[in-house]
Amino acid sequence: GEEVAQTPKHLVRGEGQKAKLYCAPIKGHSYVFWYQQVLKNEFKFLISFQNENVFDETGMPKERFSAKCLPNSPCSLEIQATKLEDSAVYFCASSHRGGGSGNTIYFGEGSWLTVV
Amino acid sequence: QQQVKQSPQSLIVQKGGISIINCAYENTAFDYFPWYQQFPGKGPALLIAIRPDVSEKKEGRFTISFNKSAKQFSLHIMDSQPGDSATYFCAASGTSTGNQFYFGTGTSLTVIP
């Protein structure tokens, strides 16, 4: 597609429940990025993929967060045993060739996760 | 630590005025500096971007000024309009810095009619 498609737009989970978010990158883009935006401000980098391979996972809280990008499937971000602090907007972005040297990333509209 | 520092946090400008948002970075390996505009409930959208081999880039009412020696870049919005009211994020990335994009903390711009 011509845009990054994220689902669901809104998700409400009770503390301790699992949350799973999906992202379909722009067709032809090799890189996928996940960011967490809290309080409408800072973008916290979580993880990036080059095709189905993890490229950079330095931002992932590994004990509860996991992500995958499998061939011919939307990418996913899963949070096990959600906590109140996980309430945020999760943005997926994709890029043709990754960051740097004019390679822009394009964002989806985000998935709003509310943990109650 | 914050790789890209952005100021001010919020900005109020009269319609027709000039809005100026500043960013600074430390890592000289960054070679791409985009600005994103985000409206409430939407994802950030690329507004304009610059590479360090030029000192200025202009697209319509939006101009990026880039000072490589000072490691600073700024967004100027000329003839600001109420429709420009949004949050603006600067960012930086580099092919040799892991392809990750580093974002500033955002500036909330309000243009008063």
Side-chain angles (χ1 to χ4, degrees), chain A residues 31 33 35 37 40-43 45 55-56 58 91 98-105 107-109 112, chain B residues 2 9 31-32 36 38 41-44 46 51 87 89 93-95 98-106:
Chain A
Y31 287 82
F33 303 79
Y35 286 89
Q37 187 182 38
K40 302 180 183 178
N41 277 59
E42 289 192 49
F43 284 93
F45 169 77
F55 189 82
D56 182 348
T58 52
F91 285 102
S101 299
N103 299 318
T104 299
I105 59 171
F107 284 84
E109 299 230 317
W112 293 65
Chain B
Q2 192 72 27
Q9 187 174 357
D31 60 10
Y32 182 60
Y36 285 83
Q38 185 180 25
K42 298 292 185 181
L46 178 67
R51 292 163 71 167
T87 301
F89 293 89
S93 71
T95 309
N99 288 308
Q100 190 185 135
F101 283 76
Y102 297 89
F103 288 85
T105 50

mmCIF file of all heavy atoms in Angstrom, chain A residues 31 33 35 37 40-43 45 55-56 58 91 98-105 107-109 112, chain B residues 2 9 31-32 36 38 41-44 46 51 87 89 93-95 98-106:
data_model
loop_
_atom_site.group_PDB
_atom_site.id
_atom_site.type_symbol
_atom_site.label_atom_id
_atom_site.label_comp_id
_atom_site.label_asym_id
_atom_site.label_seq_id
_atom_site.Cartn_x
_atom_site.Cartn_y
_atom_site.Cartn_z
ATOM 1 N N TYR A 31 12.525 -1.429 5.711
ATOM 2 C CA TYR A 31 12.749 -1.185 7.131
ATOM 3 C C TYR A 31 11.443 -0.826 7.824
ATOM 4 O O TYR A 31 10.641 -0.051 7.305
ATOM 5 C CB TYR A 31 13.751 -0.042 7.317
ATOM 6 C CG TYR A 31 15.174 -0.407 6.996
ATOM 7 C CD1 TYR A 31 15.623 -0.412 5.683
ATOM 8 C CD2 TYR A 31 16.065 -0.764 8.000
ATOM 9 C CE1 TYR A 31 16.925 -0.754 5.375
ATOM 10 C CE2 TYR A 31 17.376 -1.097 7.705
ATOM 11 C CZ TYR A 31 17.796 -1.097 6.395
ATOM 12 O OH TYR A 31 19.090 -1.437 6.100
ATOM 13 N N PHE A 33 10.054 0.405 11.723
ATOM 14 C CA PHE A 33 10.435 0.931 13.029
ATOM 15 C C PHE A 33 9.204 0.979 13.926
ATOM 16 O O PHE A 33 8.109 1.296 13.471
ATOM 17 C CB PHE A 33 10.965 2.371 12.908
ATOM 18 C CG PHE A 33 12.132 2.548 11.976
ATOM 19 C CD1 PHE A 33 11.944 2.601 10.599
ATOM 20 C CD2 PHE A 33 13.417 2.690 12.471
ATOM 21 C CE1 PHE A 33 13.022 2.782 9.729
ATOM 22 C CE2 PHE A 33 14.500 2.884 11.610
ATOM 23 C CZ PHE A 33 14.299 2.921 10.242
ATOM 24 N N TYR A 35 7.913 2.916 17.444
ATOM 25 C CA TYR A 35 8.174 3.958 18.438
ATOM 26 C C TYR A 35 7.014 4.011 19.419
ATOM 27 O O TYR A 35 5.865 3.758 19.066
ATOM 28 C CB TYR A 35 8.312 5.334 17.783
ATOM 29 C CG TYR A 35 9.603 5.556 17.041
ATOM 30 C CD1 TYR A 35 9.723 5.213 15.702
ATOM 31 C CD2 TYR A 35 10.700 6.128 17.675
ATOM 32 C CE1 TYR A 35 10.911 5.430 15.015
ATOM 33 C CE2 TYR A 35 11.892 6.352 16.992
ATOM 34 C CZ TYR A 35 11.979 5.991 15.662
ATOM 35 O OH TYR A 35 13.149 6.201 14.984
ATOM 36 N N GLN A 37 5.099 6.685 21.908
ATOM 37 C CA GLN A 37 4.957 8.100 22.226
ATOM 38 C C GLN A 37 4.085 8.253 23.464
ATOM 39 O O GLN A 37 2.924 7.854 23.472
ATOM 40 C CB GLN A 37 4.355 8.893 21.062
ATOM 41 C CG GLN A 37 4.359 10.400 21.306
ATOM 42 C CD GLN A 37 3.727 11.190 20.167
ATOM 43 O OE1 GLN A 37 2.744 10.776 19.570
ATOM 44 N NE2 GLN A 37 4.314 12.345 19.866
ATOM 45 N N LYS A 40 2.129 12.674 24.353
ATOM 46 C CA LYS A 40 2.155 13.441 23.112
ATOM 47 C C LYS A 40 3.510 14.058 22.810
ATOM 48 O O LYS A 40 3.623 14.934 21.963
ATOM 49 C CB LYS A 40 1.109 14.564 23.155
ATOM 50 C CG LYS A 40 -0.299 14.079 23.370
ATOM 51 C CD LYS A 40 -1.286 15.233 23.406
ATOM 52 C CE LYS A 40 -2.685 14.755 23.705
ATOM 53 N NZ LYS A 40 -3.641 15.879 23.791
ATOM 54 N N ASN A 41 4.534 13.610 23.477
ATOM 55 C CA ASN A 41 5.823 14.240 23.263
ATOM 56 C C ASN A 41 6.877 13.275 22.750
ATOM 57 O O ASN A 41 6.937 12.979 21.582
ATOM 58 C CB ASN A 41 6.285 14.937 24.541
ATOM 59 C CG ASN A 41 5.673 16.305 24.676
ATOM 60 O OD1 ASN A 41 4.464 16.430 24.711
ATOM 61 N ND2 ASN A 41 6.482 17.325 24.705
ATOM 62 N N GLU A 42 7.694 12.801 23.649
ATOM 63 C CA GLU A 42 8.864 12.080 23.219
ATOM 64 C C GLU A 42 8.551 10.799 22.480
ATOM 65 O O GLU A 42 7.652 10.051 22.847
ATOM 66 C CB GLU A 42 9.726 11.734 24.436
ATOM 67 C CG GLU A 42 10.404 12.932 25.047
ATOM 68 C CD GLU A 42 11.466 12.515 26.037
ATOM 69 O OE1 GLU A 42 12.288 11.663 25.693
ATOM 70 O OE2 GLU A 42 11.444 13.055 27.155
ATOM 71 N N PHE A 43 9.320 10.586 21.444
ATOM 72 C CA PHE A 43 9.267 9.328 20.720
ATOM 73 C C PHE A 43 10.371 8.428 21.269
ATOM 74 O O PHE A 43 11.543 8.730 21.134
ATOM 75 C CB PHE A 43 9.517 9.548 19.229
ATOM 76 C CG PHE A 43 8.347 10.129 18.510
ATOM 77 C CD1 PHE A 43 8.231 11.493 18.346
ATOM 78 C CD2 PHE A 43 7.361 9.312 18.005
ATOM 79 C CE1 PHE A 43 7.141 12.029 17.689
ATOM 80 C CE2 PHE A 43 6.265 9.841 17.341
ATOM 81 C CZ PHE A 43 6.157 11.209 17.194
ATOM 82 N N PHE A 45 12.269 5.106 20.811
ATOM 83 C CA PHE A 45 12.532 4.029 19.850
ATOM 84 C C PHE A 45 12.449 2.688 20.555
ATOM 85 O O PHE A 45 13.000 2.499 21.646
ATOM 86 C CB PHE A 45 13.912 4.223 19.237
ATOM 87 C CG PHE A 45 14.389 3.050 18.435
ATOM 88 C CD1 PHE A 45 13.890 2.834 17.156
ATOM 89 C CD2 PHE A 45 15.320 2.169 18.945
ATOM 90 C CE1 PHE A 45 14.323 1.759 16.402
ATOM 91 C CE2 PHE A 45 15.763 1.100 18.200
ATOM 92 C CZ PHE A 45 15.259 0.888 16.928
ATOM 93 N N PHE A 55 16.841 -5.465 13.258
ATOM 94 C CA PHE A 55 18.005 -4.648 12.920
ATOM 95 C C PHE A 55 18.592 -3.978 14.155
ATOM 96 O O PHE A 55 19.793 -3.947 14.338
ATOM 97 C CB PHE A 55 17.615 -3.602 11.873
ATOM 98 C CG PHE A 55 18.773 -2.863 11.297
ATOM 99 C CD1 PHE A 55 19.522 -3.420 10.278
ATOM 100 C CD2 PHE A 55 19.122 -1.601 11.768
ATOM 101 C CE1 PHE A 55 20.611 -2.745 9.742
ATOM 102 C CE2 PHE A 55 20.208 -0.921 11.245
ATOM 103 C CZ PHE A 55 20.952 -1.492 10.232
ATOM 104 N N ASP A 56 17.715 -3.460 14.983
ATOM 105 C CA ASP A 56 18.135 -2.747 16.191
ATOM 106 C C ASP A 56 17.038 -2.915 17.229
ATOM 107 O O ASP A 56 15.902 -2.522 16.984
ATOM 108 C CB ASP A 56 18.363 -1.263 15.868
ATOM 109 C CG ASP A 56 18.859 -0.453 17.063
ATOM 110 O OD1 ASP A 56 18.821 -0.940 18.205
ATOM 111 O OD2 ASP A 56 19.284 0.704 16.849
ATOM 112 N N THR A 58 17.595 -2.097 20.625
ATOM 113 C CA THR A 58 18.148 -1.499 21.840
ATOM 114 C C THR A 58 17.099 -0.822 22.716
ATOM 115 O O THR A 58 17.323 -0.631 23.897
ATOM 116 C CB THR A 58 19.233 -0.470 21.493
ATOM 117 O OG1 THR A 58 18.709 0.469 20.535
ATOM 118 C CG2 THR A 58 20.457 -1.145 20.912
ATOM 119 N N PHE A 91 3.633 3.972 17.489
ATOM 120 C CA PHE A 91 3.722 4.292 16.067
ATOM 121 C C PHE A 91 4.628 3.292 15.360
ATOM 122 O O PHE A 91 5.705 2.948 15.840
ATOM 123 C CB PHE A 91 4.284 5.695 15.856
ATOM 124 C CG PHE A 91 3.309 6.791 16.155
ATOM 125 C CD1 PHE A 91 3.377 7.501 17.338
ATOM 126 C CD2 PHE A 91 2.321 7.114 15.225
ATOM 127 C CE1 PHE A 91 2.465 8.516 17.610
ATOM 128 C CE2 PHE A 91 1.415 8.128 15.491
ATOM 129 C CZ PHE A 91 1.482 8.826 16.685
ATOM 130 N N GLY A 98 16.157 2.563 5.309
ATOM 131 C CA GLY A 98 16.678 2.845 6.642
ATOM 132 C C GLY A 98 17.058 4.299 6.803
ATOM 133 O O GLY A 98 16.828 5.122 5.929
ATOM 134 N N GLY A 99 17.604 4.648 7.924
ATOM 135 C CA GLY A 99 17.871 6.047 8.239
ATOM 136 C C GLY A 99 19.119 6.571 7.593
ATOM 137 O O GLY A 99 19.973 5.839 7.128
ATOM 138 N N GLY A 100 19.218 7.880 7.572
ATOM 139 C CA GLY A 100 20.408 8.521 7.062
ATOM 140 C C GLY A 100 20.362 8.785 5.570
ATOM 141 O O GLY A 100 19.625 8.146 4.838
ATOM 142 N N SER A 101 21.153 9.782 5.142
ATOM 143 C CA SER A 101 21.341 10.100 3.728
ATOM 144 C C SER A 101 20.049 10.272 2.951
ATOM 145 O O SER A 101 19.937 9.826 1.812
ATOM 146 C CB SER A 101 22.206 9.026 3.055
ATOM 147 O OG SER A 101 23.471 8.980 3.655
ATOM 148 N N GLY A 102 19.085 10.897 3.567
ATOM 149 C CA GLY A 102 17.867 11.225 2.845
ATOM 150 C C GLY A 102 16.822 10.146 2.813
ATOM 151 O O GLY A 102 15.834 10.271 2.098
ATOM 152 N N ASN A 103 17.006 9.098 3.550
ATOM 153 C CA ASN A 103 16.002 8.040 3.556
ATOM 154 C C ASN A 103 14.967 8.321 4.627
ATOM 155 O O ASN A 103 15.176 8.090 5.802
ATOM 156 C CB ASN A 103 16.672 6.695 3.804
ATOM 157 C CG ASN A 103 17.666 6.378 2.721
ATOM 158 O OD1 ASN A 103 17.392 6.606 1.546
ATOM 159 N ND2 ASN A 103 18.818 5.875 3.097
ATOM 160 N N THR A 104 13.839 8.808 4.194
ATOM 161 C CA THR A 104 12.798 9.253 5.109
ATOM 162 C C THR A 104 12.010 8.085 5.664
ATOM 163 O O THR A 104 11.820 7.073 4.984
ATOM 164 C CB THR A 104 11.845 10.181 4.360
ATOM 165 O OG1 THR A 104 12.582 11.303 3.909
ATOM 166 C CG2 THR A 104 10.715 10.668 5.253
ATOM 167 N N ILE A 105 11.557 8.208 6.891
ATOM 168 C CA ILE A 105 10.613 7.229 7.422
ATOM 169 C C ILE A 105 9.219 7.832 7.396
ATOM 170 O O ILE A 105 9.034 9.022 7.614
ATOM 171 C CB ILE A 105 10.986 6.731 8.827
ATOM 172 C CG1 ILE A 105 11.057 7.872 9.837
ATOM 173 C CG2 ILE A 105 12.288 5.963 8.802
ATOM 174 C CD1 ILE A 105 11.207 7.360 11.262
ATOM 175 N N PHE A 107 5.316 7.502 8.837
ATOM 176 C CA PHE A 107 4.617 6.981 9.990
ATOM 177 C C PHE A 107 3.188 6.569 9.673
ATOM 178 O O PHE A 107 2.524 7.159 8.818
ATOM 179 C CB PHE A 107 4.553 8.051 11.096
ATOM 180 C CG PHE A 107 5.837 8.234 11.832
ATOM 181 C CD1 PHE A 107 6.823 9.066 11.322
ATOM 182 C CD2 PHE A 107 6.066 7.579 13.029
ATOM 183 C CE1 PHE A 107 8.019 9.242 12.013
ATOM 184 C CE2 PHE A 107 7.257 7.751 13.726
ATOM 185 C CZ PHE A 107 8.230 8.586 13.216
ATOM 186 N N GLY A 108 2.715 5.589 10.431
ATOM 187 C CA GLY A 108 1.300 5.281 10.435
ATOM 188 C C GLY A 108 0.584 6.231 11.383
ATOM 189 O O GLY A 108 1.200 7.137 11.953
ATOM 190 N N GLU A 109 -0.705 6.018 11.553
ATOM 191 C CA GLU A 109 -1.496 6.912 12.399
ATOM 192 C C GLU A 109 -1.444 6.523 13.866
ATOM 193 O O GLU A 109 -1.969 7.238 14.711
ATOM 194 C CB GLU A 109 -2.943 6.943 11.917
ATOM 195 C CG GLU A 109 -3.089 7.447 10.492
ATOM 196 C CD GLU A 109 -4.133 8.529 10.362
ATOM 197 O OE1 GLU A 109 -5.207 8.379 10.969
ATOM 198 O OE2 GLU A 109 -3.879 9.525 9.642
ATOM 199 N N TRP A 112 -3.473 3.525 19.774
ATOM 200 C CA TRP A 112 -3.582 4.067 21.124
ATOM 201 C C TRP A 112 -3.865 2.932 22.091
ATOM 202 O O TRP A 112 -4.939 2.333 22.048
ATOM 203 C CB TRP A 112 -4.720 5.083 21.175
ATOM 204 C CG TRP A 112 -4.483 6.317 20.388
ATOM 205 C CD1 TRP A 112 -4.359 6.432 19.032
ATOM 206 C CD2 TRP A 112 -4.340 7.636 20.906
ATOM 207 N NE1 TRP A 112 -4.153 7.736 18.679
ATOM 208 C CE2 TRP A 112 -4.139 8.503 19.789
ATOM 209 C CE3 TRP A 112 -4.384 8.194 22.174
ATOM 210 C CZ2 TRP A 112 -3.959 9.881 19.936
ATOM 211 C CZ3 TRP A 112 -4.215 9.554 22.319
ATOM 212 C CH2 TRP A 112 -3.999 10.382 21.213
ATOM 213 N N GLN B 2 19.594 12.522 25.498
ATOM 214 C CA GLN B 2 18.846 13.038 24.370
ATOM 215 C C GLN B 2 19.813 13.373 23.244
ATOM 216 O O GLN B 2 20.682 14.226 23.377
ATOM 217 C CB GLN B 2 18.083 14.301 24.821
ATOM 218 C CG GLN B 2 17.053 14.794 23.843
ATOM 219 C CD GLN B 2 15.829 13.900 23.780
ATOM 220 O OE1 GLN B 2 15.489 13.225 24.726
ATOM 221 N NE2 GLN B 2 15.177 13.891 22.638
ATOM 222 N N GLN B 9 9.621 24.455 23.996
ATOM 223 C CA GLN B 9 8.637 23.394 24.199
ATOM 224 C C GLN B 9 7.283 23.799 23.622
ATOM 225 O O GLN B 9 6.545 22.971 23.108
ATOM 226 C CB GLN B 9 8.522 23.088 25.689
ATOM 227 C CG GLN B 9 7.657 21.884 26.013
ATOM 228 C CD GLN B 9 7.686 21.546 27.492
ATOM 229 O OE1 GLN B 9 8.396 22.184 28.282
ATOM 230 N NE2 GLN B 9 6.922 20.559 27.897
ATOM 231 N N ASP B 31 23.540 12.553 9.153
ATOM 232 C CA ASP B 31 23.631 13.148 7.823
ATOM 233 C C ASP B 31 22.268 13.414 7.193
ATOM 234 O O ASP B 31 22.160 13.620 5.980
ATOM 235 C CB ASP B 31 24.489 12.272 6.898
ATOM 236 C CG ASP B 31 23.920 10.862 6.725
ATOM 237 O OD1 ASP B 31 22.774 10.624 7.163
ATOM 238 O OD2 ASP B 31 24.627 10.013 6.171
ATOM 239 N N TYR B 32 21.243 13.401 8.005
ATOM 240 C CA TYR B 32 19.905 13.668 7.479
ATOM 241 C C TYR B 32 19.073 14.239 8.607
ATOM 242 O O TYR B 32 19.030 13.673 9.713
ATOM 243 C CB TYR B 32 19.296 12.364 6.948
ATOM 244 C CG TYR B 32 17.927 12.524 6.336
ATOM 245 C CD1 TYR B 32 17.719 13.362 5.247
ATOM 246 C CD2 TYR B 32 16.837 11.817 6.838
ATOM 247 C CE1 TYR B 32 16.466 13.492 4.683
ATOM 248 C CE2 TYR B 32 15.589 11.949 6.274
ATOM 249 C CZ TYR B 32 15.400 12.781 5.203
ATOM 250 O OH TYR B 32 14.163 12.915 4.641
ATOM 251 N N TYR B 36 9.152 16.930 11.250
ATOM 252 C CA TYR B 36 7.844 16.314 11.150
ATOM 253 C C TYR B 36 6.796 17.202 11.798
ATOM 254 O O TYR B 36 7.058 17.890 12.797
ATOM 255 C CB TYR B 36 7.829 14.936 11.824
ATOM 256 C CG TYR B 36 8.525 13.864 11.024
ATOM 257 C CD1 TYR B 36 9.906 13.709 11.077
ATOM 258 C CD2 TYR B 36 7.799 13.016 10.193
ATOM 259 C CE1 TYR B 36 10.545 12.735 10.330
ATOM 260 C CE2 TYR B 36 8.425 12.034 9.444
ATOM 261 C CZ TYR B 36 9.794 11.903 9.525
ATOM 262 O OH TYR B 36 10.428 10.936 8.779
ATOM 263 N N GLN B 38 2.928 17.096 13.410
ATOM 264 C CA GLN B 38 1.947 16.145 13.938
ATOM 265 C C GLN B 38 0.721 16.878 14.449
ATOM 266 O O GLN B 38 0.824 17.744 15.324
ATOM 267 C CB GLN B 38 2.548 15.291 15.064
ATOM 268 C CG GLN B 38 1.616 14.194 15.564
ATOM 269 C CD GLN B 38 2.232 13.367 16.676
ATOM 270 O OE1 GLN B 38 3.109 13.809 17.400
ATOM 271 N NE2 GLN B 38 1.751 12.130 16.819
ATOM 272 N N GLY B 41 -4.025 13.327 17.318
ATOM 273 C CA GLY B 41 -4.651 12.084 16.879
ATOM 274 C C GLY B 41 -4.109 11.522 15.581
ATOM 275 O O GLY B 41 -4.630 10.529 15.072
ATOM 276 N N LYS B 42 -3.060 12.134 15.059
ATOM 277 C CA LYS B 42 -2.487 11.679 13.796
ATOM 278 C C LYS B 42 -1.028 11.302 13.980
ATOM 279 O O LYS B 42 -0.392 11.655 14.961
ATOM 280 C CB LYS B 42 -2.589 12.790 12.742
ATOM 281 C CG LYS B 42 -4.014 13.201 12.412
ATOM 282 C CD LYS B 42 -4.756 12.098 11.704
ATOM 283 C CE LYS B 42 -6.137 12.546 11.264
ATOM 284 N NZ LYS B 42 -6.891 11.437 10.591
ATOM 285 N N GLY B 43 -0.525 10.587 13.000
ATOM 286 C CA GLY B 43 0.894 10.284 13.019
ATOM 287 C C GLY B 43 1.712 11.448 12.482
ATOM 288 O O GLY B 43 1.194 12.303 11.760
ATOM 289 N N PRO B 44 2.983 11.520 12.829
ATOM 290 C CA PRO B 44 3.843 12.586 12.299
ATOM 291 C C PRO B 44 3.971 12.471 10.780
ATOM 292 O O PRO B 44 4.084 11.364 10.245
ATOM 293 C CB PRO B 44 5.189 12.322 12.968
ATOM 294 C CG PRO B 44 4.905 11.390 14.091
ATOM 295 C CD PRO B 44 3.711 10.596 13.699
ATOM 296 N N LEU B 46 6.104 13.954 7.389
ATOM 297 C CA LEU B 46 7.307 14.683 6.972
ATOM 298 C C LEU B 46 6.925 16.031 6.397
ATOM 299 O O LEU B 46 6.071 16.140 5.517
ATOM 300 C CB LEU B 46 8.058 13.872 5.917
ATOM 301 C CG LEU B 46 9.306 14.546 5.364
ATOM 302 C CD1 LEU B 46 10.377 14.657 6.446
ATOM 303 C CD2 LEU B 46 9.840 13.791 4.150
ATOM 304 N N ARG B 51 20.010 17.934 4.250
ATOM 305 C CA ARG B 51 21.247 17.201 4.448
ATOM 306 C C ARG B 51 22.347 18.208 4.734
ATOM 307 O O ARG B 51 22.254 19.369 4.335
ATOM 308 C CB ARG B 51 21.540 16.346 3.222
ATOM 309 C CG ARG B 51 20.527 15.225 3.087
ATOM 310 C CD ARG B 51 20.494 14.611 1.721
ATOM 311 N NE ARG B 51 21.681 13.814 1.433
ATOM 312 C CZ ARG B 51 21.768 12.994 0.416
ATOM 313 N NH1 ARG B 51 20.764 12.860 -0.426
ATOM 314 N NH2 ARG B 51 22.869 12.304 0.197
ATOM 315 N N THR B 87 2.126 20.084 16.537
ATOM 316 C CA THR B 87 3.387 19.821 17.218
ATOM 317 C C THR B 87 4.439 19.491 16.179
ATOM 318 O O THR B 87 4.183 18.705 15.265
ATOM 319 C CB THR B 87 3.253 18.671 18.228
ATOM 320 O OG1 THR B 87 2.244 19.016 19.190
ATOM 321 C CG2 THR B 87 4.567 18.450 18.967
ATOM 322 N N PHE B 89 8.340 18.212 15.322
ATOM 323 C CA PHE B 89 9.464 17.437 15.824
ATOM 324 C C PHE B 89 10.625 17.537 14.846
ATOM 325 O O PHE B 89 10.447 17.309 13.640
ATOM 326 C CB PHE B 89 9.096 15.959 15.980
ATOM 327 C CG PHE B 89 8.071 15.681 17.047
ATOM 328 C CD1 PHE B 89 6.720 15.697 16.751
ATOM 329 C CD2 PHE B 89 8.474 15.399 18.344
ATOM 330 C CE1 PHE B 89 5.766 15.434 17.732
ATOM 331 C CE2 PHE B 89 7.534 15.129 19.330
ATOM 332 C CZ PHE B 89 6.188 15.150 19.023
ATOM 333 N N SER B 93 19.263 11.467 11.683
ATOM 334 C CA SER B 93 19.633 10.069 11.475
ATOM 335 C C SER B 93 20.923 10.013 10.673
ATOM 336 O O SER B 93 21.353 11.006 10.080
ATOM 337 C CB SER B 93 18.530 9.300 10.757
ATOM 338 O OG SER B 93 18.435 9.692 9.409
ATOM 339 N N GLY B 94 21.519 8.846 10.668
ATOM 340 C CA GLY B 94 22.761 8.686 9.931
ATOM 341 C C GLY B 94 22.953 7.253 9.512
ATOM 342 O O GLY B 94 22.639 6.335 10.269
ATOM 343 N N THR B 95 23.443 7.092 8.328
ATOM 344 C CA THR B 95 23.690 5.737 7.832
ATOM 345 C C THR B 95 24.670 5.001 8.726
ATOM 346 O O THR B 95 24.560 3.797 8.932
ATOM 347 C CB THR B 95 24.253 5.795 6.395
ATOM 348 O OG1 THR B 95 23.416 6.613 5.604
ATOM 349 C CG2 THR B 95 24.335 4.407 5.800
ATOM 350 N N GLY B 98 23.441 3.446 12.818
ATOM 351 C CA GLY B 98 22.482 2.378 13.037
ATOM 352 C C GLY B 98 21.144 2.584 12.372
ATOM 353 O O GLY B 98 20.188 1.884 12.669
ATOM 354 N N ASN B 99 21.055 3.580 11.473
ATOM 355 C CA ASN B 99 19.824 3.828 10.737
ATOM 356 C C ASN B 99 18.661 4.266 11.602
ATOM 357 O O ASN B 99 17.550 4.383 11.130
ATOM 358 C CB ASN B 99 19.401 2.588 9.927
ATOM 359 C CG ASN B 99 20.315 2.372 8.747
ATOM 360 O OD1 ASN B 99 20.528 3.279 7.967
ATOM 361 N ND2 ASN B 99 20.875 1.198 8.649
ATOM 362 N N GLN B 100 18.911 4.469 12.865
ATOM 363 C CA GLN B 100 17.820 4.879 13.752
ATOM 364 C C GLN B 100 17.572 6.378 13.608
ATOM 365 O O GLN B 100 18.492 7.144 13.343
ATOM 366 C CB GLN B 100 18.195 4.557 15.194
ATOM 367 C CG GLN B 100 17.061 4.716 16.174
ATOM 368 C CD GLN B 100 17.496 4.496 17.616
ATOM 369 O OE1 GLN B 100 17.130 5.258 18.475
ATOM 370 N NE2 GLN B 100 18.284 3.462 17.875
ATOM 371 N N PHE B 101 16.321 6.785 13.764
ATOM 372 C CA PHE B 101 15.964 8.187 13.771
ATOM 373 C C PHE B 101 15.843 8.653 15.216
ATOM 374 O O PHE B 101 15.172 8.032 16.022
ATOM 375 C CB PHE B 101 14.630 8.413 13.049
ATOM 376 C CG PHE B 101 14.763 8.361 11.544
ATOM 377 C CD1 PHE B 101 14.905 7.150 10.886
ATOM 378 C CD2 PHE B 101 14.748 9.518 10.797
ATOM 379 C CE1 PHE B 101 15.049 7.099 9.499
ATOM 380 C CE2 PHE B 101 14.878 9.488 9.415
ATOM 381 C CZ PHE B 101 15.029 8.275 8.770
ATOM 382 N N TYR B 102 16.499 9.754 15.524
ATOM 383 C CA TYR B 102 16.447 10.325 16.861
ATOM 384 C C TYR B 102 15.611 11.597 16.804
ATOM 385 O O TYR B 102 15.868 12.472 15.980
ATOM 386 C CB TYR B 102 17.861 10.641 17.354
ATOM 387 C CG TYR B 102 18.734 9.428 17.495
ATOM 388 C CD1 TYR B 102 19.499 8.979 16.422
ATOM 389 C CD2 TYR B 102 18.782 8.714 18.682
ATOM 390 C CE1 TYR B 102 20.291 7.851 16.525
ATOM 391 C CE2 TYR B 102 19.581 7.591 18.808
ATOM 392 C CZ TYR B 102 20.327 7.162 17.734
ATOM 393 O OH TYR B 102 21.107 6.045 17.845
ATOM 394 N N PHE B 103 14.620 11.675 17.683
ATOM 395 C CA PHE B 103 13.677 12.790 17.646
ATOM 396 C C PHE B 103 13.909 13.770 18.786
ATOM 397 O O PHE B 103 14.293 13.379 19.892
ATOM 398 C CB PHE B 103 12.241 12.269 17.726
ATOM 399 C CG PHE B 103 11.784 11.594 16.465
ATOM 400 C CD1 PHE B 103 12.061 10.261 16.235
ATOM 401 C CD2 PHE B 103 11.097 12.314 15.501
ATOM 402 C CE1 PHE B 103 11.662 9.640 15.061
ATOM 403 C CE2 PHE B 103 10.680 11.701 14.325
ATOM 404 C CZ PHE B 103 10.972 10.368 14.107
ATOM 405 N N GLY B 104 13.631 15.038 18.493
ATOM 406 C CA GLY B 104 13.551 16.027 19.539
ATOM 407 C C GLY B 104 12.273 15.811 20.345
ATOM 408 O O GLY B 104 11.453 14.964 19.999
ATOM 409 N N THR B 105 12.105 16.593 21.389
ATOM 410 C CA THR B 105 10.972 16.412 22.295
ATOM 411 C C THR B 105 9.720 17.146 21.854
ATOM 412 O O THR B 105 8.704 17.094 22.524
ATOM 413 C CB THR B 105 11.336 16.852 23.714
ATOM 414 O OG1 THR B 105 11.923 18.155 23.655
ATOM 415 C CG2 THR B 105 12.330 15.889 24.344
ATOM 416 N N GLY B 106 9.783 17.819 20.731
ATOM 417 C CA GLY B 106 8.588 18.424 20.166
ATOM 418 C C GLY B 106 8.351 19.852 20.611
ATOM 419 O O GLY B 106 8.706 20.256 21.717
#
